[in-house]
Amino acid sequence: MTRKVTKAIFPVAGLGTRFLPATKSIPKEIMTLVDRPLIQYAIDEARAAGITEFIFVTSRGKGALEDYFDHAHELESNLKKAGKTELLETLRSTNMESGAIAYIRQHKALGLGHAVWCARRLVADEPFAVILTDDVIMGEPPCLQQMIEAYNETGGSMVATMEVPTEKTKSYGVLDIAEDMGAIVRAKGMVEKPQSILRRTSR
Ligand code: UTP
């Protein structure tokens, strides 16, 4: 039987060079998509999947991201006094329970794998999710929830993927598929940005 997944790591210590110049002073995770900062989509997705412990791997210049989860008491009481209940609810959805959120520093941007490794002591030997906040995945049920449901049945390590045209596989990490069961496939390997590809099934 698999153990319940309650922890999620959010690696947010990258340099964000593709969003320069904005990311010179703003963490990309705070940038807004439609009506919410990217980080809020990630938190909402994690909560919907039953995550209760949120581990952020941060770096220098990510202070705004830490402040984002603080309770803004003055703002809350102003909105309450003004009867702006809808805005108050929106604001409250950004609040985190005390002790539910942890920050750990990645001192050097040594890559995504290293960022996840930095959280190893907080995760200990428990199963955990990793959410990349700069990749918003729209899904119903949300992607992480689908993954955890699948994990509860199959166990093992999982990665969410998308199909890409064969001519674009050289820009992606591509799975080497052992068994195709439809929505879920069993992978026997992964190739980073392959220059050529033998089969059409690329995910
Ligand atoms: P990206 O590959 O998107 O890198 O990282 P990046 O630095 O954010 O952006 P670009 O490529 O320079 O524009 C994927 C995720 O891994 C995190 C990033 O913050 C992002 O959420 N990451 C990446 C780290 O936490 N540490 C790293 O050393 C590298």
Side-chain angles (χ1 to χ4, degrees):
M1 213 182 99
T2 54
R3 283 192 290 168
K4 198 166 180 319
V5 184
T6 58
K7 294 184 175 181
I9 301 177
F10 302 81
V12 293
L15 300 174
T17 53
R18 281 168 294 177
F19 283 99
L20 279 170
T23 45
K24 185 179 167 206
S25 61
I26 309 167
K28 96 175 140 182
E29 298 74 20
I30 292 288
M31 289 164 75
T32 303
L33 179 68
V34 187
D35 60 351
R36 279 172 279 172
L38 292 179
I39 191 64
Q40 191 63 45
Y41 287 92
I43 293 293
D44 292 347
E45 183 175 348
R47 279 185 174 143
I51 299 296
T52 50
E53 290 182 60
F54 305 81
I55 302 164
F56 280 79
V57 183
T58 66
S59 58
R60 203 159 55 87
K62 299 283 177 167
L65 200 54
E66 299 190 14
D67 295 345
Y68 179 78
F69 296 110
D70 284 341
H71 290 231
H73 296 292
E74 203 185 326
L75 196 51
E76 279 191 26
S77 75
N78 281 346
L79 292 175
K80 209 171 175 180
K81 269 189 220 145
K84 296 189 172 168
T85 35
E86 215 170 297
L87 281 177
L88 191 61
E89 277 317 301
T90 306
L91 186 64
R92 284 186 175 155
S93 71
T94 69
N95 292 350
M96 279 286 181
E97 234 183 275
S98 297
I101 188 160
Y103 299 96
I104 193 131
R105 202 88 158 180
Q106 185 189 29
H107 291 100
K108 226 177 184 183
L110 292 176
L112 172 59
H114 180 261
V116 173
W117 180 79
C118 287
R120 67 197 178 283
R121 290 196 184 90
L122 293 173
V123 164
D125 65 345
E126 287 186 47
F128 62 95
V130 175
I131 296 190
L132 303 184
T133 52
D134 57 352
D135 220 343
V136 178
I137 305 171
M138 304 311 287
E140 202 39 60
C143 184
L144 186 61
Q145 187 181 330
Q146 291 184 41
M147 289 177 80
I148 290 181
E149 280 166 9
Y151 166 78
N152 289 340
E153 283 182 20
T154 64
S157 298
M158 288 200 172
V159 62
T161 59
M162 63 178 186
E163 299 219 15
V164 296
T166 309
E167 64 276 13
K168 293 204 170 148
T169 49
K170 56 177 172 301
S171 305
Y172 293 89
V174 176
L175 294 187
D176 187 0
I177 293 170
E179 192 186 354
D180 195 338
M181 295 104 85
I184 300 177
V185 300
R186 196 163 62 78
K188 56 180 184 225
M190 190 158 106
V191 186
E192 180 65 1
K193 305 189 173 96
Q195 282 315 299
S196 61
I197 199 141
L198 292 175
R199 288 194 301 162
R200 250 206 92 258
T201 20
S202 52
R203 292 186 192 231

